[in-house]
Amino acid sequence: MTDRVVIVGGGPGGYEAAHVAAQLGAEVTIVDTDGLGGSAVLTDCVPSKTLIATAEVMTEVAEAGELGITMRDKEGDAASGITVDLARVNARVKQLAADQSRDIARRIDRDGVRLVHGRGRLDGPGRVVATGADGAETVLDADAVLVATGAAPRTLPSAQPDGERILTWEQVYDLDERPEELVVVGSGVTGAEFASAYQALGIPVTLVSSRDRVLPGEDADASMVLEEVSKRRGMNVLSKSRMESVTRSGDVVTVALTDGREVQASHCILALGSVPNTTDLGLEEAGVLLKDGGFVYVDRVSRTSARGVYAAGDCTGVLMLASVAAMQGRIAMWHLLGDTVHPLDLKKVSSNVFTAPEIATVGCSQEAVDAGEMQAEVVMLPLSGNPRAKMQGVRDGFVKLFIRPGTGIVVGGVVVGPRASELIHPVSIAVAESLTADQLAQAFTVYPSMSGSIAEAARRLHRI
């Protein structure tokens, strides 16, 4: 008998699960209301990284003088600066997001997956009711349900977005003019990425951080490099500054801080975290246990507390990355349909902060080592000594490796620099496959290359 799988939500956890389930012979239905790809494709990862790609080019052009490149205007005079057409940038952002969503739709159509447009809610653990825009209901019986409804930007009563000058990260792509000045509230990953990107686009940026450093959840050495670079490029970073309210009067936005100070700008981006989209889905009535904040409790194979109900992605709050959401969805279907499955191992997850410079991490952290939670030897190698970095004018950044004493097995790493998201991959392989520093060091690297610093760091951890 063919297993019937209903997936509520079309983000990475949902569409990757659908692909696996269809491949394994299940009858699959996705119930989706926002568009396939979810926020990852339509309002978060794809749009933000497309915006950041433009910012990267602006940064490279701005620093090209050191490499002997001079910009000139049509009269032949030295150009005084470069500008960005934000309306064109955002139009491209939205077009790429829409194209990616259509690509996903074509893929699931080829897989034979049924798509039902509507808002899904559970009617018990084995049934989903999809309500369309016209109020019509479609009842779907299922042998298993996967909840992959994602999360939404967190707001506060004292800081309400208006979609024009006070914005969440989902609303910034409707801007058609460059902000004169921008305040970003929140110095986590989202806040740091947008602050870095808009600064590179030539917009004066103030970053309001309630903590003592930017990116408090990341490697402290990496955070220090990013903050130093950002300040050197002109960003105003207000550390230990908690936002009390955000208000608008005409074209002026005022961010009031709890210590009495005020910061004014033309626009403000709220980067205050996320809340799960789990309200009014019938989850608790179906026996699904919710954690504090409304996130769905799941185990390492994506099972909820209700038999036959799985969950994946940001609605679980496990680790808000598209790659983790996709893996949770795949694991759920492998487990459900009896295929080989390995439980989710967060120690092997690589992640990246798309700032300038980028910050990529995998496995063991410096914080865990310093706290005595993990015994590890550490080496940190600045990129400033790397030949390729010198050629490209790169001075900021480093490679850091963590190995287990005695065995020399690589258990973690940090890369800070241009395209760190690409450079972390060999370290991720080493962590996933329990390679030793010697094995990592003995693999050939291209000369000259940034990746040569990874091999050099591994060589410095060699013990006779």
Side-chain angles (χ1 to χ4, degrees), residues 282-328:
L283 296 177
E284 291 178 292
E285 294 83 352
V288 175
L289 178 65
L290 301 183
K291 298 181 289 186
D292 290 343
F295 292 99
V296 180
Y297 170 81
V298 290
D299 63 13
R300 291 176 60 203
V301 292
S302 304
R303 290 179 298 190
T304 72
S305 55
R307 184 176 179 85
V309 180
Y310 295 77
D314 288 358
C315 67
T316 69
V318 170
L319 187 56
M320 291 189 175
L321 297 172
S323 58
V324 172
M327 185 59 74
Q328 284 181 298

Short mmCIF file of all heavy atoms in Angstrom, two decimals, residues 282-328:
data_model
loop_
_atom_site.label_atom_id
_atom_site.label_comp_id
_atom_site.label_asym_id
_atom_site.label_seq_id
_atom_site.Cartn_x
_atom_site.Cartn_y
_atom_site.Cartn_z
N GLY A 282 -3.58 23.74 14.80
CA GLY A 282 -4.12 22.52 15.37
C GLY A 282 -3.06 21.57 15.90
O GLY A 282 -3.33 20.38 16.09
N LEU A 283 -1.88 22.08 16.17
CA LEU A 283 -0.77 21.22 16.58
C LEU A 283 -0.98 20.61 17.96
O LEU A 283 -0.89 19.39 18.13
CB LEU A 283 0.55 22.01 16.54
CG LEU A 283 0.98 22.52 15.17
CD1 LEU A 283 2.26 23.36 15.29
CD2 LEU A 283 1.22 21.35 14.22
N GLU A 284 -1.25 21.44 18.92
CA GLU A 284 -1.41 20.92 20.29
C GLU A 284 -2.63 20.01 20.40
O GLU A 284 -2.60 19.00 21.11
CB GLU A 284 -1.51 22.09 21.27
CG GLU A 284 -0.20 22.86 21.41
CD GLU A 284 -0.31 24.05 22.34
OE1 GLU A 284 -1.01 25.02 21.97
OE2 GLU A 284 0.30 24.01 23.42
N GLU A 285 -3.70 20.34 19.65
CA GLU A 285 -4.88 19.47 19.66
C GLU A 285 -4.56 18.10 19.06
O GLU A 285 -5.19 17.09 19.41
CB GLU A 285 -6.01 20.13 18.86
CG GLU A 285 -6.56 21.42 19.49
CD GLU A 285 -5.74 22.64 19.16
OE1 GLU A 285 -4.64 22.50 18.56
OE2 GLU A 285 -6.18 23.76 19.52
N ALA A 286 -3.58 18.06 18.17
CA ALA A 286 -3.18 16.78 17.56
C ALA A 286 -2.14 16.05 18.40
O ALA A 286 -1.69 14.96 18.01
CB ALA A 286 -2.62 17.03 16.17
N GLY A 287 -1.75 16.64 19.52
CA GLY A 287 -0.78 15.99 20.41
C GLY A 287 0.65 16.41 20.19
O GLY A 287 1.57 15.77 20.71
N VAL A 288 0.85 17.49 19.43
CA VAL A 288 2.21 17.96 19.16
C VAL A 288 2.64 18.90 20.28
O VAL A 288 1.99 19.91 20.55
CB VAL A 288 2.27 18.69 17.80
CG1 VAL A 288 3.67 19.27 17.59
CG2 VAL A 288 1.92 17.73 16.67
N LEU A 289 3.75 18.56 20.92
CA LEU A 289 4.27 19.36 22.02
C LEU A 289 5.03 20.57 21.48
O LEU A 289 5.88 20.44 20.60
CB LEU A 289 5.21 18.51 22.88
CG LEU A 289 5.90 19.21 24.07
CD1 LEU A 289 4.86 19.65 25.10
CD2 LEU A 289 6.94 18.28 24.71
N LEU A 290 4.71 21.75 22.02
CA LEU A 290 5.41 22.98 21.66
C LEU A 290 6.32 23.42 22.79
O LEU A 290 5.97 23.31 23.97
CB LEU A 290 4.42 24.10 21.33
CG LEU A 290 3.42 23.84 20.20
CD1 LEU A 290 2.57 25.09 19.97
CD2 LEU A 290 4.14 23.45 18.92
N LYS A 291 7.48 23.92 22.43
CA LYS A 291 8.42 24.43 23.41
C LYS A 291 8.11 25.90 23.70
O LYS A 291 7.20 26.49 23.12
CB LYS A 291 9.85 24.30 22.87
CG LYS A 291 10.30 22.88 22.61
CD LYS A 291 11.73 22.83 22.09
CE LYS A 291 11.84 23.36 20.68
NZ LYS A 291 13.20 23.18 20.11
N ASP A 292 8.89 26.50 24.61
CA ASP A 292 8.74 27.92 24.90
C ASP A 292 8.91 28.71 23.61
O ASP A 292 9.80 28.44 22.81
CB ASP A 292 9.80 28.37 25.91
CG ASP A 292 9.54 27.80 27.30
OD1 ASP A 292 8.42 27.34 27.55
OD2 ASP A 292 10.48 27.81 28.12
N GLY A 293 8.05 29.69 23.43
CA GLY A 293 8.13 30.51 22.23
C GLY A 293 7.33 29.94 21.08
O GLY A 293 7.28 30.54 20.01
N GLY A 294 6.72 28.76 21.26
CA GLY A 294 5.87 28.19 20.22
C GLY A 294 6.58 27.30 19.22
O GLY A 294 5.97 26.85 18.25
N PHE A 295 7.88 27.03 19.43
CA PHE A 295 8.59 26.14 18.51
C PHE A 295 8.18 24.69 18.74
O PHE A 295 7.86 24.28 19.85
CB PHE A 295 10.10 26.27 18.72
CG PHE A 295 10.66 27.60 18.30
CD1 PHE A 295 10.90 28.60 19.24
CD2 PHE A 295 10.92 27.88 16.97
CE1 PHE A 295 11.40 29.84 18.87
CE2 PHE A 295 11.42 29.11 16.58
CZ PHE A 295 11.67 30.09 17.52
N VAL A 296 8.19 23.90 17.66
CA VAL A 296 7.78 22.50 17.72
C VAL A 296 8.92 21.66 18.26
O VAL A 296 10.05 21.73 17.76
CB VAL A 296 7.36 21.99 16.33
CG1 VAL A 296 6.94 20.53 16.41
CG2 VAL A 296 6.24 22.84 15.75
N TYR A 297 8.61 20.85 19.26
CA TYR A 297 9.63 19.93 19.78
C TYR A 297 9.80 18.76 18.81
O TYR A 297 8.83 18.12 18.40
CB TYR A 297 9.23 19.38 21.15
CG TYR A 297 10.13 18.25 21.59
CD1 TYR A 297 11.37 18.52 22.17
CD2 TYR A 297 9.76 16.92 21.40
CE1 TYR A 297 12.21 17.49 22.54
CE2 TYR A 297 10.60 15.88 21.76
CZ TYR A 297 11.82 16.18 22.32
OH TYR A 297 12.66 15.15 22.68
N VAL A 298 11.07 18.49 18.43
CA VAL A 298 11.37 17.34 17.58
C VAL A 298 12.60 16.62 18.13
O VAL A 298 13.44 17.21 18.81
CB VAL A 298 11.66 17.74 16.11
CG1 VAL A 298 10.41 18.23 15.41
CG2 VAL A 298 12.77 18.79 16.04
N ASP A 299 12.69 15.32 17.80
CA ASP A 299 13.91 14.58 18.14
C ASP A 299 14.87 14.66 16.95
O ASP A 299 14.63 15.38 15.98
CB ASP A 299 13.60 13.15 18.56
CG ASP A 299 12.97 12.31 17.45
OD1 ASP A 299 12.99 12.75 16.28
OD2 ASP A 299 12.46 11.22 17.76
N ARG A 300 15.93 13.87 16.98
CA ARG A 300 16.97 13.99 15.96
C ARG A 300 16.59 13.35 14.63
O ARG A 300 17.33 13.47 13.65
CB ARG A 300 18.28 13.41 16.49
CG ARG A 300 18.89 14.25 17.62
CD ARG A 300 20.12 13.60 18.18
NE ARG A 300 21.15 13.42 17.17
CZ ARG A 300 22.12 12.52 17.25
NH1 ARG A 300 22.18 11.69 18.29
NH2 ARG A 300 23.03 12.42 16.29
N VAL A 301 15.44 12.67 14.58
CA VAL A 301 14.95 12.18 13.28
C VAL A 301 13.67 12.91 12.89
O VAL A 301 12.86 12.41 12.12
CB VAL A 301 14.75 10.65 13.28
CG1 VAL A 301 16.08 9.94 13.37
CG2 VAL A 301 13.81 10.20 14.39
N SER A 302 13.47 14.10 13.47
CA SER A 302 12.40 15.03 13.10
C SER A 302 11.01 14.61 13.58
O SER A 302 10.00 15.17 13.12
CB SER A 302 12.37 15.26 11.57
OG SER A 302 13.62 15.71 11.11
N ARG A 303 10.92 13.62 14.49
CA ARG A 303 9.60 13.23 15.02
C ARG A 303 9.13 14.24 16.07
O ARG A 303 9.91 14.70 16.89
CB ARG A 303 9.67 11.85 15.65
CG ARG A 303 9.85 10.71 14.68
CD ARG A 303 9.94 9.38 15.40
NE ARG A 303 11.09 9.34 16.31
CZ ARG A 303 11.51 8.23 16.92
NH1 ARG A 303 10.85 7.10 16.76
NH2 ARG A 303 12.58 8.27 17.70
N THR A 304 7.85 14.54 16.04
CA THR A 304 7.24 15.31 17.13
C THR A 304 6.72 14.33 18.18
O THR A 304 6.92 13.11 18.08
CB THR A 304 6.08 16.17 16.61
OG1 THR A 304 4.96 15.33 16.29
CG2 THR A 304 6.49 16.97 15.38
N SER A 305 6.02 14.86 19.16
CA SER A 305 5.46 14.01 20.21
C SER A 305 4.20 13.29 19.75
O SER A 305 3.69 12.40 20.45
CB SER A 305 5.13 14.86 21.45
OG SER A 305 4.29 15.94 21.11
N ALA A 306 3.66 13.64 18.59
CA ALA A 306 2.46 12.99 18.06
C ALA A 306 2.86 11.92 17.04
O ALA A 306 3.63 12.21 16.11
CB ALA A 306 1.53 14.01 17.42
N ARG A 307 2.34 10.74 17.18
CA ARG A 307 2.67 9.65 16.27
C ARG A 307 2.30 10.01 14.83
O ARG A 307 1.18 10.45 14.55
CB ARG A 307 1.95 8.37 16.70
CG ARG A 307 2.32 7.14 15.87
CD ARG A 307 1.63 5.90 16.42
NE ARG A 307 1.94 4.72 15.62
CZ ARG A 307 3.02 3.97 15.78
NH1 ARG A 307 3.90 4.29 16.72
NH2 ARG A 307 3.24 2.91 15.02
N GLY A 308 3.25 9.82 13.93
CA GLY A 308 3.00 10.10 12.52
C GLY A 308 3.13 11.55 12.12
O GLY A 308 2.90 11.89 10.95
N VAL A 309 3.49 12.42 13.06
CA VAL A 309 3.66 13.84 12.75
C VAL A 309 5.14 14.20 12.92
O VAL A 309 5.72 14.00 13.99
CB VAL A 309 2.81 14.75 13.64
CG1 VAL A 309 3.03 16.22 13.28
CG2 VAL A 309 1.33 14.39 13.50
N TYR A 310 5.74 14.72 11.86
CA TYR A 310 7.12 15.17 11.86
C TYR A 310 7.15 16.69 11.69
O TYR A 310 6.14 17.29 11.32
CB TYR A 310 7.91 14.52 10.71
CG TYR A 310 8.07 13.02 10.81
CD1 TYR A 310 7.01 12.16 10.51
CD2 TYR A 310 9.29 12.46 11.19
CE1 TYR A 310 7.16 10.78 10.58
CE2 TYR A 310 9.46 11.08 11.26
CZ TYR A 310 8.39 10.25 10.96
OH TYR A 310 8.56 8.87 11.03
N ALA A 311 8.30 17.28 11.94
CA ALA A 311 8.44 18.72 11.72
C ALA A 311 9.87 19.02 11.29
O ALA A 311 10.81 18.32 11.68
CB ALA A 311 8.09 19.52 12.97
N ALA A 312 10.02 20.08 10.48
CA ALA A 312 11.34 20.45 9.97
C ALA A 312 11.42 21.95 9.77
O ALA A 312 10.42 22.62 9.51
CB ALA A 312 11.61 19.73 8.64
N GLY A 313 12.61 22.48 9.89
CA GLY A 313 12.85 23.87 9.57
C GLY A 313 12.74 24.83 10.74
O GLY A 313 12.77 24.43 11.91
N ASP A 314 12.57 26.10 10.41
CA ASP A 314 12.61 27.15 11.44
C ASP A 314 11.51 27.02 12.48
O ASP A 314 11.65 27.51 13.59
CB ASP A 314 12.51 28.53 10.77
CG ASP A 314 13.78 28.91 10.02
OD1 ASP A 314 14.75 28.12 10.07
OD2 ASP A 314 13.81 29.99 9.40
N CYS A 315 10.40 26.36 12.14
CA CYS A 315 9.33 26.20 13.13
C CYS A 315 9.77 25.31 14.29
O CYS A 315 9.13 25.30 15.34
CB CYS A 315 8.06 25.66 12.48
SG CYS A 315 8.18 23.97 11.86
N THR A 316 10.87 24.57 14.12
CA THR A 316 11.39 23.73 15.22
C THR A 316 12.40 24.48 16.08
O THR A 316 12.69 24.05 17.20
CB THR A 316 12.06 22.46 14.67
OG1 THR A 316 13.28 22.80 14.00
CG2 THR A 316 11.14 21.72 13.71
N GLY A 317 12.96 25.56 15.55
CA GLY A 317 13.94 26.33 16.31
C GLY A 317 15.24 25.59 16.57
O GLY A 317 16.04 26.02 17.41
N VAL A 318 15.49 24.49 15.86
CA VAL A 318 16.70 23.69 16.13
C VAL A 318 17.95 24.47 15.75
O VAL A 318 18.86 24.64 16.54
CB VAL A 318 16.63 22.35 15.37
CG1 VAL A 318 17.96 21.62 15.42
CG2 VAL A 318 15.53 21.47 15.97
N LEU A 319 18.04 24.91 14.53
CA LEU A 319 19.14 25.75 14.05
C LEU A 319 18.63 26.36 12.76
O LEU A 319 18.41 25.66 11.77
CB LEU A 319 20.41 24.93 13.80
CG LEU A 319 21.68 25.70 13.44
CD1 LEU A 319 22.01 26.73 14.51
CD2 LEU A 319 22.86 24.75 13.26
N MET A 320 18.41 27.67 12.78
CA MET A 320 17.67 28.31 11.69
C MET A 320 18.55 28.54 10.46
O MET A 320 18.97 29.66 10.16
CB MET A 320 17.04 29.61 12.18
CG MET A 320 15.91 29.36 13.16
SD MET A 320 15.01 30.87 13.54
CE MET A 320 13.68 30.23 14.56
N LEU A 321 18.80 27.46 9.76
CA LEU A 321 19.54 27.48 8.51
C LEU A 321 18.76 26.70 7.47
O LEU A 321 18.16 25.66 7.78
CB LEU A 321 20.92 26.83 8.67
CG LEU A 321 21.90 27.50 9.64
CD1 LEU A 321 23.13 26.62 9.82
CD2 LEU A 321 22.30 28.88 9.15
N ALA A 322 18.77 27.18 6.22
CA ALA A 322 18.07 26.46 5.16
C ALA A 322 18.62 25.05 4.99
O ALA A 322 17.87 24.12 4.72
CB ALA A 322 18.18 27.25 3.85
N SER A 323 19.93 24.90 5.15
CA SER A 323 20.54 23.58 5.00
C SER A 323 20.06 22.61 6.07
O SER A 323 19.83 21.42 5.80
CB SER A 323 22.07 23.69 5.05
OG SER A 323 22.49 24.27 6.28
N VAL A 324 19.88 23.11 7.29
CA VAL A 324 19.39 22.26 8.37
C VAL A 324 17.92 21.91 8.15
O VAL A 324 17.50 20.77 8.35
CB VAL A 324 19.58 22.94 9.75
CG1 VAL A 324 18.90 22.16 10.86
CG2 VAL A 324 21.07 23.08 10.04
N ALA A 325 17.13 22.89 7.70
CA ALA A 325 15.72 22.62 7.41
C ALA A 325 15.59 21.53 6.36
O ALA A 325 14.80 20.59 6.51
CB ALA A 325 15.04 23.91 6.92
N ALA A 326 16.38 21.65 5.28
CA ALA A 326 16.32 20.65 4.21
C ALA A 326 16.71 19.27 4.73
O ALA A 326 16.07 18.26 4.41
CB ALA A 326 17.24 21.07 3.07
N MET A 327 17.75 19.21 5.56
CA MET A 327 18.19 17.93 6.08
C MET A 327 17.16 17.35 7.04
O MET A 327 16.91 16.13 7.02
CB MET A 327 19.54 18.09 6.77
CG MET A 327 20.13 16.76 7.24
SD MET A 327 20.39 15.57 5.90
CE MET A 327 21.81 16.31 5.10
N GLN A 328 16.54 18.18 7.85
CA GLN A 328 15.48 17.68 8.74
C GLN A 328 14.34 17.07 7.93
O GLN A 328 13.80 16.02 8.31
CB GLN A 328 14.94 18.82 9.60
CG GLN A 328 15.83 19.25 10.75
CD GLN A 328 15.20 20.37 11.56
OE1 GLN A 328 14.94 21.46 11.03
NE2 GLN A 328 14.93 20.12 12.82
#
